[in-house]
C-alpha cells in the first residue's frame, strides 16, 4: 500500500499570502492518480485538483497542482479567507489512500 | 444537480450490525462507480469500499474485508453498506462518494455523511 505523507501538519498564513502544501508518496505514483481535496469543518471533502494538475469544476485558478513520481504540491497563489481549511492528498494504486491532511489556518 | 444523501447511522454495540444507505439523484446512477469513505472523529479520510456501476464487482479495504458488504439497487438509485461485526475502530462519519469517471480515480461528489458510533 502506498503511504502518503503531507507536510506541514499545520500551516499558518495570512490572507493574500501564498500557500505551498506538500504530499510525498512512499513509492512512485502515477501522475494521473494524484488528487487534492479541501475539507471545511462540518462539511464533506470537496474535490479540488485531479490528475496532479487539473482543477475540478468551479475551482478558482489560484489553486494549482504540480509534481511527479513521489513528490506533489498544491499551491494556493493568494489566500482568500474561505481557503482556510484542511487539505488532503489522495492517490490510487491498487486501492485508494489519503494523506493525513494539512491544516491551513489564519495567522 | 448531483445529490447524495446518506442514512442509517447510529449507535451500535461492539459486534453488532448496521446498514447504511445512500440515495442518489441528479445523474445516471448506474453508469458510475460508487464508494464509501469514512472519517473517524478528528482524523483523516479512509477509503472503505467501492462498487461497479453494474453492481457485480465490489472492492474492499483490508480493514473491512469479510465484515462489510457493499451493494446497490440501480432501480432505486441507492447504494448500501452492510456492516457486521462492528468494532470501536469503525466509529466514523461514513460518506457516500461518486467516482469521477472511468479514467479518473477520485471522488467528485460527496454526501453529507452519516455518523456510526460503535460503543457499549
Amino acid at each position: 500500500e502506498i503511504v502518503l505523507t503531507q507536510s506541514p501538519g499545520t500551516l499558518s498564513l495570512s490572507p493574500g499570502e501564498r500557500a505551498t502544501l506538500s504530499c510525498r508518496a512512499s513509492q512512485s505514483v502515477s501522475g494521473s492518480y494524484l488528487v487534492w481535496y479541501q475539507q471545511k469543518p462540518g462539511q464533506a471533502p470537496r474535490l479540488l485538483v485531479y490528475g496532479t494538475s487539473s482543477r475540478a469544476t468551479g475551482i478558482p485558478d489560484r489553486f494549482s497542482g504540480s509534481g511527479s513520481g513521489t513528490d506533489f504540491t498544491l499551491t494556493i497563489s493568494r489566500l482568500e479567507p474561505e481557503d482556510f481549511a484542511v487539505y488532503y492528498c489522495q492517490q490510487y494504486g491498487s486501492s485508494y489512500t489519503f494523506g493525513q491532511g494539512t491544516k491551513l489556518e489564519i495567522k | 444537480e448531483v445529490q447524495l444523501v446518506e442514512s442509517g447511522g447510529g449507535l451500535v454495540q461492539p459486534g453488532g450490525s448496521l446498514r447504511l444507505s445512500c440515495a442518489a439523484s441528479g445523474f445516471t446512477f448506474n453508469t458510475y462507480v460508487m464508494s464509501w469513505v469514512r472519517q473517524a472523529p478528528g482524523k483523516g479520510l479512509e477509503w472503505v469500499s467501492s462498487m461497479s456501476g453494474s453492481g457485480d464487482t465490489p472492492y474492499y479495504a483490508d480493514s473491512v474485508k469479510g465484515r462489510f458488504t457493499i451493494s446497490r439497487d440501480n432501480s432505486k438509485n441507492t447504494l448500501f453498506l452492510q456492516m457486521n461485526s462492528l468494532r470501536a475502530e469503525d466509529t466514523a462519519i461514513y460518506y457516500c462518494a461518486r467516482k469521477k469517471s472511468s479514467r479518473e480515480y477520485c471522488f467528485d461528489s460527496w454526501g453529507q455523511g452519516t455518523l456510526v458510533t460503535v460503543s457499549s
Side-chain angles (χ1 to χ4, degrees):
Chain A
E1 177 182 281
I2 296 177
V3 176
L4 299 178
T5 302
Q6 294 186 239
S7 62
T10 301
L11 184 58
S12 301
L13 294 170
S14 300
E17 291 193 293
R18 180 185 185 89
T20 303
L21 286 68
S22 173
C23 177
R24 177 163 290 179
S26 59
Q27 55 187 281
S28 186
V29 172
S30 167
S32 299
Y33 300 149
L34 196 287
V35 180
W36 292 91
Y37 300 91
Q38 176 193 69
Q39 187 178 34
K40 296 181 180 179
Q43 296 184 16
R46 177 173 72 146
L47 178 65
L48 289 179
V49 170
Y50 63 95
T52 297
S53 58
S54 298
R55 277 186 298 277
T57 303
I59 302 303
D61 61 7
R62 65 180 180 272
F63 290 90
S64 63
S66 63
S68 65
T70 61
D71 289 298
F72 297 87
T73 300
L74 176 71
T75 301
I76 312 171
S77 59
R78 284 178 54 86
L79 285 166
E80 298 287 342
E82 62 267 27
D83 298 336
F84 292 91
V86 179
Y87 292 83
Y88 294 96
C89 58
Q90 173 240 300
Q91 68 82 39
Y92 178 80
S94 56
S95 68
Y96 298 91
T97 58
F98 293 86
Q100 83 280 15
T102 289
K103 181 180 181 181
L104 178 56
E105 65 176 23
I106 299 177
K107 187 173 181 179
Chain B
E1 179 194 4
V2 174
Q3 279 202 317
L4 300 170
V5 180
E6 302 94 337
S7 60
L11 175 63
V12 61
Q13 292 187 338
S17 298
L18 214 53
R19 189 193 197 203
L20 306 184
S21 300
C22 170
S25 61
F27 64 102
T28 306
F29 184 68
N30 64 5
T31 64
Y32 284 87
V33 172
M34 297 297 296
S35 300
W36 292 97
V37 177
R38 68 184 180 184
Q39 186 170 36
K43 302 297 184 182
L45 300 165
E46 180 189 16
W47 170 75
V48 172
S49 182
S50 295
M51 175 61 89
S52 62
S54 60
D56 58 6
T57 309
Y59 305 88
Y60 298 100
D62 288 343
S63 58
V64 306
K65 202 172 292 183
R67 300 188 298 123
F68 290 10
T69 302
I70 191 171
S71 62
R72 64 193 293 163
D73 183 341
N74 286 342
S75 69
K76 296 182 179 178
N77 290 353
T78 303
L79 178 73
F80 302 100
L81 186 68
Q82 177 66 44
M83 304 186 295
N84 298 332
S85 303
L86 282 162
R87 306 167 179 166
E89 54 264 36
D90 295 318
T91 294
I93 296 172
Y94 284 73
Y95 294 103
C96 170
R98 187 182 80 167
K99 182 176 180 282
K100 187 179 187 303
S101 72
S102 59
R103 293 181 299 170
E104 305 296 345
Y105 286 76
C106 59
F107 309 109
D108 68 344
S109 295
W110 298 67
Q112 84 291 347
T114 187
L115 177 62
V116 172
T117 303
V118 184
S119 175
S120 55

